[in-house]
Amino acid sequence: MKARESLVRLKEFQVREKQRQLSQLQMMMAEFERMTKDLENQIVFEEKKSGISDPSHFAYPTFAKAARQRADNLQVSIRELKMQQDAAELALEEVQAEYAKAAALEERDTTTRLRA
């Protein structure tokens, strides 16, 4: 019977761990989105300051070019994190199902022991 209790605790731990990982991914995505918005605001400011909004113009501000590249890189990272989030959500669902099965078996065993 101890083995089932250990299995339930293990599955419960796995559920909490997957939830933590999912939460971290969501926080990273939110932070990257905030950073992207900040960069976009800085780009607009630099373009207004220089009067040049065409990135291919020879006098386009260097800072705006670098900020634009950084914002693009962050968008790529956000898309990759979204794919990781989708995979983590599926893994969480699987672990939750395994936990539910293990908990049900433990409940059944406990009920059987109490009747005997």
Side-chain angles (χ1 to χ4, degrees), residues 62-75:
T62 305
F63 176 78
K65 280 183 185 177
R68 187 176 301 276
Q69 181 62 44
R70 179 70 179 131
D72 291 345
N73 289 345
L74 285 170
Q75 288 299 324

Side-chain angles (χ1 to χ4, degrees), residues 4 9 14 21 23 31 36 39 43-44 47 53-56 59 64 74 82-84 88 100 115-116:
R4 290 221 200 266
R9 282 197 312 271
Q14 289 174 342
Q21 290 173 355
S23 175
E31 180 66 16
T36 300
L39 286 169
I43 292 167
V44 169
E47 288 176 348
S53 61
D54 180 15
S56 63
L74 285 170
K82 177 65 177 146
M83 289 188 304
Q84 289 180 21
R115 285 186 198 163

Side-chain angles (χ1 to χ4, degrees), residues 26-39 70-71 73-78 81:
Q26 291 167 341
M27 287 187 325
M28 286 174 54
M29 288 172 52
E31 180 66 16
F32 286 178
E33 288 170 0
R34 186 196 59 77
M35 291 168 63
T36 300
K37 288 176 185 172
D38 288 346
L39 286 169
R70 179 70 179 131
N73 289 345
L74 285 170
Q75 288 299 324
V76 169
S77 296
I78 290 169
L81 287 173

